[in-house]
Structures are given as C-alpha cells and as structure tokens.
C-alpha cells in the first residue's frame, strides 16, 4: 500500500513498533503485546480540503489495488 500510494504522489509510512524479547515475562520493547497493523493518518492544517480528499482517494485506491492482487 505504501509503495502504491507513493507511485500516485502520496507519501505514507508504516507505523514503527518497538519489539524486544519474545519472553512472555518481559514487555516487547515498550509494547506489552504485538499490535495489529493499523493505518494512522496525520493531516496538516495547511492542506486544503481538496488536497485531503485527493490523498484519501489515493490511499483508498492503493488499498483496493493491493487487496485485489492478494486474492
């Protein structure tokens, strides 16, 4: 999804997680459990409504394209 969105001019990145030992008695880095993959969006107030809608459309289309390829 990241690569597909970048090809369409929208930069997104994967969320980074801090993983540590696999020992159940120790937290995984700073995370107590492994989180599910998520999409987190941060939008600047400088962007216009049109730019935000374009970015959302690109992310949606990239997601759909990747999910269709996986089937």
């Amino acid at each position: 999804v990241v690569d597909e969105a970048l090809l369409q001019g929208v930069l997104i990145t994967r969320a980074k997680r801090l993983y540590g030992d696999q020992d159940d008695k120790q937290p995984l880095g700073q995370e107590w459990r492994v989180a599910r993959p998520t999409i987190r969006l941060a939008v600047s107030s400088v962007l216009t409504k049109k730019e935000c809608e374009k970015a959302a459309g690109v992310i949606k289309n990239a997601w759909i394209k990747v999910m269709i390829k996986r089937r």
Side-chain angles (χ1 to χ4, degrees):
V1 175
V2 172
D3 295 334
E4 187 61 37
L6 186 58
L7 289 174
Q8 296 182 35
V10 174
L11 177 64
I12 58 176
T13 61
R14 295 183 205 142
K16 302 295 181 194
R17 300 287 180 183
L18 300 174
Y19 300 113
D21 298 333
Q22 296 299 323
D23 185 2
D24 291 336
K25 296 177 183 174
Q26 296 294 324
L28 299 172
Q30 291 182 1
E31 305 284 338
W32 279 95
R33 57 188 146 159
V34 177
R36 295 184 318 177
T38 60
I39 294 176
R40 185 177 304 155
L41 300 175
V43 180
S44 172
S45 62
V46 177
L47 297 175
T48 64
K49 181 178 180 181
K50 185 176 179 180
E51 290 171 324
C52 290
E53 289 172 349
K54 177 187 180 264
V58 167
I59 293 169
K60 178 183 174 184
N61 291 335
W63 181 264
I64 290 170
K65 188 173 183 179
V66 169
M67 291 296 114
I68 288 173
K69 285 182 182 179
R70 286 191 169 200
R71 289 185 181 187

